[in-house]
Amino acid sequence: MVSAEVFFMKFDSGNINRFSMNNHSKEDAVRTRLSSKRKEEIKAYADMVLGFHPQTDSGFDWAGVCEKENIRVYFEYFPEDFDALIVYRNQRYTIFVNKKNLDNMPEYRVNFTICHELGHYFLPEHRYKLEREGMMQHQLRSDTRARPVEEREADVMASCLLMPAVQIGTDFAAQPFSPAFILDVANRYKVSRDACLMRYTELGPNPIMLVYSENGRTDQKAYHKKSKAFPFQKPLDMGDGRLPHCCLASAANNHNLKPEGNVKRHLTKEVFGGFIPRDTPVVVQEYCVPMHVKGRFLSVFYF
């Protein structure tokens, strides 16, 4: 196992220090917010990319895209705790994938990781920075600071490339929301269930809410995400961010959850409170699945 910096030196005899993974610029510190307008810009860029590199029957062909764009992709073992990164050297782009973290991972994890790096390549502001500095600011897994805005922008780009709006929106409209339906769509596009659910909140016809929690409390490091039509902002707070006791993700219930998740019906008022907007269904369903980190859960509320 070699360090990333030693490996990079095979491609450049210049000053390696300026490509350090801890490199931060003053310009980066200014851009901290990912606005709705910026998301729309990124989606427009993704549509342009898909015009040149459309989806195939096997999903987004990142290997074919890299070949056409003359981007080298190297899978190597690095001791540093990162998944992948993209480097610009000697007028050429290279994506380094860390087998230490991605070996034996599902295909969808590798797909999203590489498409995230392609997001840096295809977004003009990111590409300019790559050509100016050689590498995007990159966050190590051990870094507990908020993710840089460029990383979140690359996530949006990856999501749009892997799940094109027109195609997956048509698939979402094909039948009512259900956990089995989401898993089927996720497998078709070779993405994770969580990524597919995120896309559903943007493009799906049925109102849903995603709630991340840890040990029965809503996760302050994560967030709630919902479709525009979902009538509530968040579940009831029982104090200290605790979820209502009836929820599958509450501390009283989450220790018995199956790995593939469970579904439970609730009275809407028990989860979201007494004030119920007009025409809101009396019953809401919760689909709750354990996350990869012990004690963390994702609840999907839908009608």
Side-chain angles (χ1 to χ4, degrees), residues 252-294:
N253 299 321
N254 61 32
H255 56 282
N256 290 322
L257 284 183
K258 299 176 183 177
E260 66 273 18
N262 292 63
V263 177
K264 182 179 179 182
R265 292 162 60 90
H266 306 286
L267 291 176
T268 303
K269 64 181 180 181
E270 293 178 342
V271 179
F272 296 103
F275 178 74
I276 307 296
R278 185 179 178 181
D279 299 328
T280 301
V282 175
V283 173
V284 64
Q285 298 201 76
E286 176 192 8
Y287 168 50
C288 184
V289 290
M291 304 292 285
H292 300 297
V293 179
K294 185 177 180 181

Short mmCIF file of all heavy atoms in Angstrom, two decimals, residues 252-294:
data_model
loop_
_atom_site.label_atom_id
_atom_site.label_comp_id
_atom_site.label_asym_id
_atom_site.label_seq_id
_atom_site.Cartn_x
_atom_site.Cartn_y
_atom_site.Cartn_z
N ALA A 252 -37.22 2.96 21.49
CA ALA A 252 -37.97 1.82 22.01
C ALA A 252 -38.15 0.71 20.98
O ALA A 252 -38.36 -0.45 21.35
CB ALA A 252 -39.34 2.30 22.50
N ASN A 253 -38.05 1.05 19.70
CA ASN A 253 -38.38 0.08 18.66
C ASN A 253 -37.24 -0.30 17.72
O ASN A 253 -37.27 -1.37 17.11
CB ASN A 253 -39.54 0.62 17.80
CG ASN A 253 -40.79 0.87 18.61
OD1 ASN A 253 -41.13 0.08 19.49
ND2 ASN A 253 -41.48 1.96 18.32
N ASN A 254 -36.22 0.56 17.59
CA ASN A 254 -35.28 0.36 16.49
C ASN A 254 -34.31 -0.82 16.67
O ASN A 254 -33.65 -1.22 15.72
CB ASN A 254 -34.49 1.64 16.19
CG ASN A 254 -33.67 2.13 17.36
OD1 ASN A 254 -33.17 1.33 18.17
ND2 ASN A 254 -33.50 3.45 17.46
N HIS A 255 -34.23 -1.38 17.88
CA HIS A 255 -33.29 -2.49 18.10
C HIS A 255 -33.79 -3.80 17.48
O HIS A 255 -33.03 -4.76 17.36
CB HIS A 255 -33.03 -2.69 19.59
CG HIS A 255 -34.27 -2.92 20.40
ND1 HIS A 255 -35.11 -1.89 20.76
CD2 HIS A 255 -34.81 -4.05 20.90
CE1 HIS A 255 -36.13 -2.38 21.46
NE2 HIS A 255 -35.98 -3.69 21.55
N ASN A 256 -35.06 -3.85 17.07
CA ASN A 256 -35.61 -5.08 16.49
C ASN A 256 -35.81 -4.99 14.98
O ASN A 256 -36.42 -5.88 14.39
CB ASN A 256 -36.96 -5.39 17.14
CG ASN A 256 -36.82 -5.82 18.59
OD1 ASN A 256 -35.88 -6.53 18.93
ND2 ASN A 256 -37.73 -5.38 19.44
N LEU A 257 -35.28 -3.96 14.36
CA LEU A 257 -35.51 -3.78 12.93
C LEU A 257 -34.73 -4.80 12.10
O LEU A 257 -33.59 -5.12 12.40
CB LEU A 257 -35.10 -2.38 12.49
CG LEU A 257 -36.05 -1.23 12.86
CD1 LEU A 257 -35.51 0.07 12.29
CD2 LEU A 257 -37.44 -1.49 12.34
N LYS A 258 -35.36 -5.27 11.04
CA LYS A 258 -34.69 -6.17 10.10
C LYS A 258 -33.72 -5.37 9.24
O LYS A 258 -33.95 -4.19 8.98
CB LYS A 258 -35.72 -6.86 9.22
CG LYS A 258 -36.72 -7.72 9.98
CD LYS A 258 -37.76 -8.29 9.03
CE LYS A 258 -38.81 -9.09 9.79
NZ LYS A 258 -39.88 -9.58 8.88
N PRO A 259 -32.65 -5.99 8.76
CA PRO A 259 -31.68 -5.28 7.91
C PRO A 259 -32.30 -4.66 6.66
O PRO A 259 -31.89 -3.60 6.21
CB PRO A 259 -30.67 -6.36 7.54
CG PRO A 259 -30.78 -7.37 8.63
CD PRO A 259 -32.22 -7.37 9.04
N GLU A 260 -33.31 -5.34 6.10
CA GLU A 260 -33.96 -4.81 4.89
C GLU A 260 -35.04 -3.78 5.22
O GLU A 260 -35.63 -3.18 4.33
CB GLU A 260 -34.57 -5.94 4.06
CG GLU A 260 -35.72 -6.67 4.71
CD GLU A 260 -35.30 -7.82 5.62
OE1 GLU A 260 -34.12 -7.86 6.02
OE2 GLU A 260 -36.16 -8.68 5.91
N GLY A 261 -35.32 -3.60 6.52
CA GLY A 261 -36.29 -2.58 6.93
C GLY A 261 -37.64 -3.15 7.30
O GLY A 261 -37.94 -4.32 7.07
N ASN A 262 -38.45 -2.31 7.93
CA ASN A 262 -39.80 -2.66 8.33
C ASN A 262 -40.75 -1.54 7.92
O ASN A 262 -40.34 -0.40 7.74
CB ASN A 262 -39.89 -2.85 9.85
CG ASN A 262 -39.13 -4.07 10.34
OD1 ASN A 262 -37.92 -4.14 10.21
ND2 ASN A 262 -39.85 -5.02 10.91
N VAL A 263 -42.04 -1.88 7.81
CA VAL A 263 -43.07 -0.90 7.50
C VAL A 263 -44.12 -0.93 8.60
O VAL A 263 -44.52 -2.01 9.06
CB VAL A 263 -43.73 -1.18 6.14
CG1 VAL A 263 -44.86 -0.18 5.88
CG2 VAL A 263 -42.70 -1.11 5.02
N LYS A 264 -44.57 0.27 9.03
CA LYS A 264 -45.57 0.36 10.08
C LYS A 264 -46.53 1.50 9.76
O LYS A 264 -46.12 2.55 9.27
CB LYS A 264 -44.90 0.61 11.45
CG LYS A 264 -45.87 0.67 12.62
CD LYS A 264 -45.12 0.89 13.93
CE LYS A 264 -46.09 0.97 15.11
NZ LYS A 264 -45.36 1.23 16.39
N ARG A 265 -47.80 1.30 10.07
CA ARG A 265 -48.82 2.33 9.88
C ARG A 265 -49.01 3.12 11.18
O ARG A 265 -49.03 2.54 12.26
CB ARG A 265 -50.15 1.70 9.47
CG ARG A 265 -50.13 1.08 8.08
CD ARG A 265 -51.27 0.10 7.89
NE ARG A 265 -52.58 0.73 8.04
CZ ARG A 265 -53.27 1.28 7.04
NH1 ARG A 265 -52.77 1.27 5.82
NH2 ARG A 265 -54.45 1.81 7.25
N HIS A 266 -49.13 4.42 11.06
CA HIS A 266 -49.36 5.30 12.21
C HIS A 266 -50.56 6.21 11.93
O HIS A 266 -50.85 6.52 10.76
CB HIS A 266 -48.16 6.22 12.47
CG HIS A 266 -46.85 5.53 12.63
ND1 HIS A 266 -46.50 4.82 13.76
CD2 HIS A 266 -45.78 5.45 11.80
CE1 HIS A 266 -45.27 4.35 13.62
NE2 HIS A 266 -44.82 4.72 12.44
N LEU A 267 -51.20 6.67 12.99
CA LEU A 267 -52.10 7.79 12.83
C LEU A 267 -51.25 9.03 12.58
O LEU A 267 -50.26 9.27 13.28
CB LEU A 267 -52.96 7.98 14.08
CG LEU A 267 -54.01 6.90 14.36
CD1 LEU A 267 -54.72 7.18 15.69
CD2 LEU A 267 -55.02 6.83 13.22
N THR A 268 -51.61 9.81 11.60
CA THR A 268 -50.80 10.97 11.21
C THR A 268 -50.57 11.90 12.40
O THR A 268 -49.46 12.41 12.59
CB THR A 268 -51.49 11.74 10.07
OG1 THR A 268 -51.69 10.84 8.98
CG2 THR A 268 -50.64 12.90 9.60
N LYS A 269 -51.58 12.11 13.23
CA LYS A 269 -51.46 13.03 14.36
C LYS A 269 -50.47 12.53 15.40
O LYS A 269 -49.87 13.33 16.13
CB LYS A 269 -52.82 13.26 15.00
CG LYS A 269 -53.45 12.04 15.64
CD LYS A 269 -54.82 12.36 16.23
CE LYS A 269 -55.45 11.14 16.88
NZ LYS A 269 -56.79 11.46 17.45
N GLU A 270 -50.25 11.20 15.49
CA GLU A 270 -49.31 10.66 16.46
C GLU A 270 -47.86 10.96 16.08
O GLU A 270 -46.99 11.04 16.95
CB GLU A 270 -49.49 9.14 16.59
CG GLU A 270 -50.81 8.73 17.20
CD GLU A 270 -50.98 7.23 17.27
OE1 GLU A 270 -50.25 6.51 16.55
OE2 GLU A 270 -51.83 6.76 18.04
N VAL A 271 -47.59 11.13 14.80
CA VAL A 271 -46.24 11.38 14.33
C VAL A 271 -45.98 12.87 14.11
O VAL A 271 -44.89 13.37 14.43
CB VAL A 271 -45.96 10.61 13.02
CG1 VAL A 271 -44.55 10.89 12.52
CG2 VAL A 271 -46.16 9.12 13.22
N PHE A 272 -46.99 13.58 13.62
CA PHE A 272 -46.77 14.98 13.23
C PHE A 272 -47.57 15.99 14.04
O PHE A 272 -47.47 17.19 13.78
CB PHE A 272 -47.10 15.14 11.74
CG PHE A 272 -46.20 14.34 10.84
CD1 PHE A 272 -46.64 13.17 10.26
CD2 PHE A 272 -44.90 14.75 10.61
CE1 PHE A 272 -45.80 12.42 9.45
CE2 PHE A 272 -44.05 14.01 9.80
CZ PHE A 272 -44.51 12.84 9.22
N GLY A 273 -48.35 15.55 15.02
CA GLY A 273 -49.02 16.50 15.89
C GLY A 273 -50.49 16.70 15.57
O GLY A 273 -51.02 16.15 14.60
N GLY A 274 -51.13 17.53 16.40
CA GLY A 274 -52.58 17.69 16.31
C GLY A 274 -53.05 18.55 15.16
O GLY A 274 -54.17 18.38 14.69
N PHE A 275 -52.23 19.51 14.71
CA PHE A 275 -52.66 20.37 13.62
C PHE A 275 -52.41 19.66 12.29
O PHE A 275 -51.27 19.50 11.86
CB PHE A 275 -51.92 21.71 13.63
CG PHE A 275 -52.31 22.61 12.49
CD1 PHE A 275 -53.53 23.26 12.49
CD2 PHE A 275 -51.46 22.77 11.41
CE1 PHE A 275 -53.90 24.07 11.43
CE2 PHE A 275 -51.82 23.58 10.34
CZ PHE A 275 -53.05 24.23 10.35
N ILE A 276 -53.49 19.23 11.66
CA ILE A 276 -53.39 18.47 10.42
C ILE A 276 -53.95 19.32 9.28
O ILE A 276 -55.12 19.71 9.31
CB ILE A 276 -54.17 17.14 10.50
CG1 ILE A 276 -53.74 16.34 11.73
CG2 ILE A 276 -53.98 16.33 9.22
CD1 ILE A 276 -52.31 15.89 11.72
N PRO A 277 -53.14 19.65 8.29
CA PRO A 277 -53.65 20.42 7.14
C PRO A 277 -54.84 19.73 6.48
O PRO A 277 -54.98 18.50 6.54
CB PRO A 277 -52.45 20.49 6.19
CG PRO A 277 -51.26 20.30 7.07
CD PRO A 277 -51.71 19.35 8.15
N ARG A 278 -55.68 20.52 5.88
CA ARG A 278 -56.88 20.01 5.23
C ARG A 278 -56.53 18.96 4.18
O ARG A 278 -55.53 19.08 3.47
CB ARG A 278 -57.63 21.18 4.59
CG ARG A 278 -58.97 20.80 3.98
CD ARG A 278 -59.62 22.02 3.40
NE ARG A 278 -60.89 21.68 2.76
CZ ARG A 278 -61.67 22.55 2.14
NH1 ARG A 278 -61.29 23.83 2.06
NH2 ARG A 278 -62.80 22.17 1.58
N ASP A 279 -57.38 17.93 4.10
CA ASP A 279 -57.26 16.85 3.12
C ASP A 279 -56.03 15.95 3.34
O ASP A 279 -55.69 15.14 2.47
CB ASP A 279 -57.22 17.40 1.69
CG ASP A 279 -58.48 18.16 1.33
OD1 ASP A 279 -59.55 17.79 1.84
OD2 ASP A 279 -58.39 19.12 0.55
N THR A 280 -55.37 16.09 4.49
CA THR A 280 -54.24 15.20 4.79
C THR A 280 -54.76 13.83 5.22
O THR A 280 -55.69 13.75 6.04
CB THR A 280 -53.36 15.78 5.91
OG1 THR A 280 -52.88 17.05 5.51
CG2 THR A 280 -52.18 14.88 6.20
N PRO A 281 -54.22 12.73 4.70
CA PRO A 281 -54.69 11.40 5.10
C PRO A 281 -54.57 11.16 6.60
O PRO A 281 -53.68 11.71 7.27
CB PRO A 281 -53.76 10.46 4.33
CG PRO A 281 -53.33 11.26 3.14
CD PRO A 281 -53.21 12.67 3.64
N VAL A 282 -55.46 10.37 7.14
CA VAL A 282 -55.48 10.07 8.57
C VAL A 282 -54.32 9.16 8.95
O VAL A 282 -53.77 9.24 10.05
CB VAL A 282 -56.82 9.42 8.96
CG1 VAL A 282 -56.80 8.97 10.43
CG2 VAL A 282 -57.97 10.37 8.71
N VAL A 283 -53.90 8.31 8.02
CA VAL A 283 -52.85 7.32 8.28
C VAL A 283 -51.61 7.64 7.46
O VAL A 283 -51.70 7.97 6.27
CB VAL A 283 -53.34 5.89 7.96
CG1 VAL A 283 -52.21 4.88 8.07
CG2 VAL A 283 -54.49 5.51 8.90
N VAL A 284 -50.42 7.56 8.09
CA VAL A 284 -49.15 7.70 7.39
C VAL A 284 -48.34 6.42 7.62
O VAL A 284 -48.43 5.80 8.69
CB VAL A 284 -48.37 8.94 7.91
CG1 VAL A 284 -47.98 8.78 9.37
CG2 VAL A 284 -47.13 9.19 7.05
N GLN A 285 -47.60 6.01 6.62
CA GLN A 285 -46.77 4.81 6.75
C GLN A 285 -45.31 5.20 6.95
O GLN A 285 -44.83 6.20 6.39
CB GLN A 285 -46.92 3.93 5.51
CG GLN A 285 -48.33 3.42 5.31
CD GLN A 285 -48.37 2.19 4.43
OE1 GLN A 285 -48.04 1.09 4.86
NE2 GLN A 285 -48.78 2.37 3.19
N GLU A 286 -44.63 4.41 7.76
CA GLU A 286 -43.19 4.61 7.99
C GLU A 286 -42.44 3.38 7.52
O GLU A 286 -42.70 2.26 7.98
CB GLU A 286 -42.90 4.85 9.47
CG GLU A 286 -41.42 4.98 9.79
CD GLU A 286 -41.11 4.92 11.28
OE1 GLU A 286 -42.03 4.63 12.07
OE2 GLU A 286 -39.94 5.15 11.64
N TYR A 287 -41.51 3.60 6.60
CA TYR A 287 -40.59 2.55 6.17
C TYR A 287 -39.24 2.89 6.77
O TYR A 287 -38.66 3.93 6.46
CB TYR A 287 -40.52 2.51 4.65
CG TYR A 287 -39.42 1.67 4.06
CD1 TYR A 287 -39.21 0.36 4.46
CD2 TYR A 287 -38.58 2.20 3.06
CE1 TYR A 287 -38.18 -0.40 3.91
CE2 TYR A 287 -37.56 1.44 2.51
CZ TYR A 287 -37.36 0.14 2.92
OH TYR A 287 -36.36 -0.60 2.38
N CYS A 288 -38.73 2.06 7.66
CA CYS A 288 -37.51 2.37 8.40
C CYS A 288 -36.45 1.30 8.15
O CYS A 288 -36.72 0.10 8.28
CB CYS A 288 -37.82 2.46 9.89
SG CYS A 288 -36.40 2.96 10.89
N VAL A 289 -35.24 1.76 7.78
CA VAL A 289 -34.14 0.84 7.50
C VAL A 289 -32.90 1.26 8.28
O VAL A 289 -32.61 2.45 8.42
CB VAL A 289 -33.81 0.79 5.99
CG1 VAL A 289 -34.91 0.11 5.22
CG2 VAL A 289 -33.56 2.17 5.45
N PRO A 290 -32.14 0.29 8.82
CA PRO A 290 -30.88 0.62 9.48
C PRO A 290 -29.86 1.12 8.46
O PRO A 290 -29.80 0.62 7.33
CB PRO A 290 -30.43 -0.71 10.10
CG PRO A 290 -31.64 -1.58 10.10
CD PRO A 290 -32.46 -1.14 8.92
N MET A 291 -29.04 2.11 8.85
CA MET A 291 -27.98 2.61 7.99
C MET A 291 -26.72 1.79 8.22
O MET A 291 -26.69 0.88 9.05
CB MET A 291 -27.74 4.10 8.29
CG MET A 291 -28.98 4.97 8.16
SD MET A 291 -29.54 5.12 6.46
CE MET A 291 -28.31 6.25 5.81
N HIS A 292 -25.65 2.15 7.50
CA HIS A 292 -24.39 1.41 7.62
C HIS A 292 -23.73 1.64 8.97
O HIS A 292 -22.96 0.80 9.45
CB HIS A 292 -23.44 1.80 6.49
CG HIS A 292 -24.00 1.53 5.13
ND1 HIS A 292 -24.31 0.26 4.69
CD2 HIS A 292 -24.32 2.35 4.10
CE1 HIS A 292 -24.79 0.31 3.46
NE2 HIS A 292 -24.81 1.57 3.08
N VAL A 293 -23.98 2.79 9.60
CA VAL A 293 -23.40 3.10 10.90
C VAL A 293 -24.35 2.63 11.99
O VAL A 293 -25.55 2.93 11.96
CB VAL A 293 -23.14 4.62 11.05
CG1 VAL A 293 -22.57 4.94 12.42
CG2 VAL A 293 -22.22 5.10 9.94
N LYS A 294 -23.84 1.90 12.96
CA LYS A 294 -24.68 1.34 14.01
C LYS A 294 -25.42 2.45 14.76
O LYS A 294 -24.83 3.45 15.13
CB LYS A 294 -23.80 0.55 15.00
CG LYS A 294 -24.63 -0.17 16.07
CD LYS A 294 -23.73 -1.00 16.98
CE LYS A 294 -24.55 -1.71 18.05
NZ LYS A 294 -23.68 -2.50 18.96
#
